[in-house]
């Protein structure tokens, strides 16, 4: 019998054709399977292709004695109880390749939108009949010559750095480990301590995964160290930034503006953020392009296909299961 694969959400069929040819795929007729559906269907499945909005927790994993792999649709996998999966010898995979370029595009787009006041002035032109034009009105800030501090210099951080360098920005970064010089040099990127990054950056972009260590990585203490008038962009995970403190420092002007694609308790968003003209909000949509959705589906499918073919060169995040 073919292994049974549960896909919890209607992802693009173009990306899962090979998976459907090789396996018994359970695919939702409507937009998604409900939590109750997943609880029932997962019982006899060999693999799950999961999406962020449907957590795969310890209780679900315990209901699936045949489960061998959880392939996440996306690079972030904090929707999966990786520790429980590892304890049971279940591989957990993500899709880092498909999401890299679109997420970097969104980070740069948010940066431009908030610094050049694109979203702010668009709203005013549409809704305010008394909107004032003028050479010295509606002024923002340019990117050229500004220092961009990147927190998390993985694939997405480096893709953002390439775009920022092309815009004339200076790049400093903090990462768990310093990059090899061969990666730093083309980006003209300088490795600095977190404190130095906070003190020097005109713009700070968060590009780190959410872990116990990065939860509230940017809190009140860190915001106090930031340069006055800094801009903050987050396309990573909402809880990396203390949202209440962000509101506080946006209000007092220490932080000049923010571009946010992710939120601490999404889809709930702190109400004060809606009322701030110097904040640009997008609905966790950094990877929201047609091409990316298809490619992410394909990459997640290839993780499953590769796993059942005995390959270990796929994007497994808990390689310790093979130890």
């Amino acid at each position: 019998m073919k292994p049974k694969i549960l896909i919890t959400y209607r992802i693009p069929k173009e990306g899962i054709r090979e998976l459907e040819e090789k396996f018994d795929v359970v695919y939702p007729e409507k937009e998604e399977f409900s939590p109750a559906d997943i609880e029932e269907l997962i019982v006899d499945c060999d693999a799950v292709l999961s999406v962020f909005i449907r957590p795969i927790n310890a209780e679900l994993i315990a209901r699936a004695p045949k489960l061998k792999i959880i392939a996440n649709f996306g690079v972030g996998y904090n929707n999966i109880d990786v520790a429980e999966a590892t304890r049971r010898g279940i591989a957990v995979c993500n899709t880092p390749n498909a999401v890299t370029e679109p997420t970097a595009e969104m980070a740069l787009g948010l940066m431009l939108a908030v610094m050049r006041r694109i979203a702010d002035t668009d709203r005013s032109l549409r809704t305010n009949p008394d909107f004032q034009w003028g050479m010295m009105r509606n002024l923002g800030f340019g990117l050229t010559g500004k220092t961009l501090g990147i927190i998390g210099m993985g694939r997405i951080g480096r893709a953002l750095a390439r775009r920022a360098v092309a815009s004339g920005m200076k790049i400093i970064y903090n990462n768990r480990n310093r990059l090899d010089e061969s990666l730093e040099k083309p980006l003209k990127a300088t490795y600095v301590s977190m404190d130095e990054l906070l003190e020097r950056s005109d713009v700070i972009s968060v590009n780190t995964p959410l872990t116990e260590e990065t939860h509230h990585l940017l809190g009140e203490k860190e915001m106090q160290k930031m340069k006055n008038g800094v801009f903050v962009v987050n396309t990573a995970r909402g809880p990396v930034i203390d949202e209440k403190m962000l509101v506080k420092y946006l209000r007092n002007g220490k932080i000049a503006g923010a571009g946010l694609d992710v939120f601490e308790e999404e889809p709930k968003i702190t109400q004060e953020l809606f009322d701030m003209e110097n904040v640009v909000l997008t609905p966790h949509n950094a990877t929201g392009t047609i091409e990316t959705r298809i490619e992410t589906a394909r990459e997640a499918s290839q993780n499953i296909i590769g796993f059942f073919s005995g390959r270990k060169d796929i994007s497994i995040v808990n390689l310790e299961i093979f130890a």
Side-chain angles (χ1 to χ4, degrees):
M1 292 179 63
K2 294 180 180 180
K4 182 177 284 190
I5 317 298
L6 173 61
I7 299 178
T8 63
Y9 197 94
R10 285 183 68 89
I11 59 177
K13 283 276 190 174
E14 298 96 318
I16 62 170
R17 284 177 182 148
E18 187 176 354
L19 194 70
E20 290 183 310
E21 291 170 3
K22 295 177 181 290
F23 300 97
D24 179 10
V25 172
V26 182
Y27 185 85
E29 292 183 6
K30 299 180 180 179
E31 185 176 20
E32 60 184 309
F33 284 122
S34 69
D37 290 334
I38 295 171
E39 285 182 7
E40 180 180 344
L41 293 167
I42 201 171
V43 171
D44 62 348
C45 284
D46 300 278
V48 173
L49 199 162
S50 61
V51 298
F52 183 75
I53 60 172
R54 286 285 177 255
I56 306 297
N57 56 29
E59 291 73 20
L60 265 182
I61 293 171
R63 293 178 60 85
K66 296 174 62 179
L67 193 62
K68 301 174 183 66
I69 176 174
I70 303 168
N72 203 47
F73 186 87
V75 65
Y77 48 88
N78 53 298
N79 54 309
I80 299 168
D81 192 327
V82 178
E84 181 63 16
T86 302
R87 191 178 74 80
R88 293 176 178 270
I90 299 166
V92 177
C93 297
N94 66 346
T95 57
N97 297 310
V99 303
T100 297
E101 300 301 329
T103 305
E105 286 177 357
M106 178 66 90
L108 186 67
L110 287 170
M111 201 183 307
L112 282 165
V114 68
M115 293 178 70
R116 292 301 310 271
R117 299 186 60 187
I118 295 170
D120 172 16
T121 51
D122 174 79
R123 284 192 298 269
S124 295
L125 281 167
R126 292 171 184 272
T127 61
N128 182 4
D130 299 320
F131 180 80
Q132 297 293 308
W133 298 54
M135 289 293 293
M136 298 306 296
R137 298 180 187 273
N138 310 307
L139 303 181
F141 294 88
L143 271 59
T144 303
K146 299 296 190 301
T147 297
L148 171 62
I150 298 176
I151 301 176
M153 199 65 153
R155 296 169 189 249
I156 295 169
R158 296 198 299 274
L160 172 59
R162 291 200 312 271
R163 290 163 168 80
V165 166
S167 298
M169 302 187 82
K170 302 168 187 174
I171 309 299
I172 60 177
Y173 75 96
N174 183 263
N175 200 48
R176 278 186 302 178
N177 300 299
R178 182 173 180 172
L179 299 181
D180 187 88
E181 186 179 356
S182 63
L183 294 174
E184 282 185 346
K185 194 172 181 180
L187 302 173
K188 301 177 183 177
T190 302
Y191 177 79
V192 297
S193 68
M194 178 64 93
D195 281 351
E196 185 174 351
L197 184 146
L198 295 172
E199 292 164 2
R200 287 179 53 191
S201 299
D202 299 300
V203 189
I204 294 173
S205 177
V206 179
N207 299 97
T208 185
L210 177 61
T211 65
E212 290 183 7
E213 291 74 24
T214 63
H215 183 268
H216 283 189
L217 183 66
L218 295 184
E220 181 161 32
K221 182 178 69 173
E222 291 73 27
M223 293 178 195
Q224 287 174 345
K225 293 178 182 178
M226 292 177 184
K227 180 187 290 190
N228 289 337
V230 67
F231 290 86
V232 175
V233 172
N234 188 6
T235 55
R237 285 291 184 264
V240 177
I241 297 179
D242 185 333
E243 205 163 283
K244 288 182 180 178
M245 288 300 105
L246 178 63
V247 167
K248 174 182 175 179
Y249 284 90
L250 281 163
R251 272 180 171 164
N252 68 24
K254 174 82 172 183
I255 297 175
L260 306 173
D261 185 54
V262 289
F263 307 91
E264 191 158 0
E265 296 180 8
E266 60 187 56
K268 179 184 175 183
I269 299 174
T270 302
Q271 181 59 43
E272 290 89 337
L273 292 173
F274 289 111
D275 302 326
M276 294 178 171
E277 296 297 334
N278 58 338
V279 176
V280 177
L281 311 173
T282 52
H284 199 149
N285 202 36
T287 60
T289 72
I290 294 169
E291 302 93 337
T292 302
R293 293 289 184 255
I294 293 171
E295 188 54 37
T296 304
R298 186 175 292 115
E299 188 173 351
S301 295
Q302 288 302 316
N303 282 335
I304 294 172
I305 293 166
F307 178 84
F308 283 105
S309 299
R311 289 170 46 198
K312 296 181 182 178
D313 60 340
I314 55 178
S315 301
I316 297 175
V317 303
N318 58 340
L319 284 168
E320 57 266 40
I321 64 169
F322 297 116

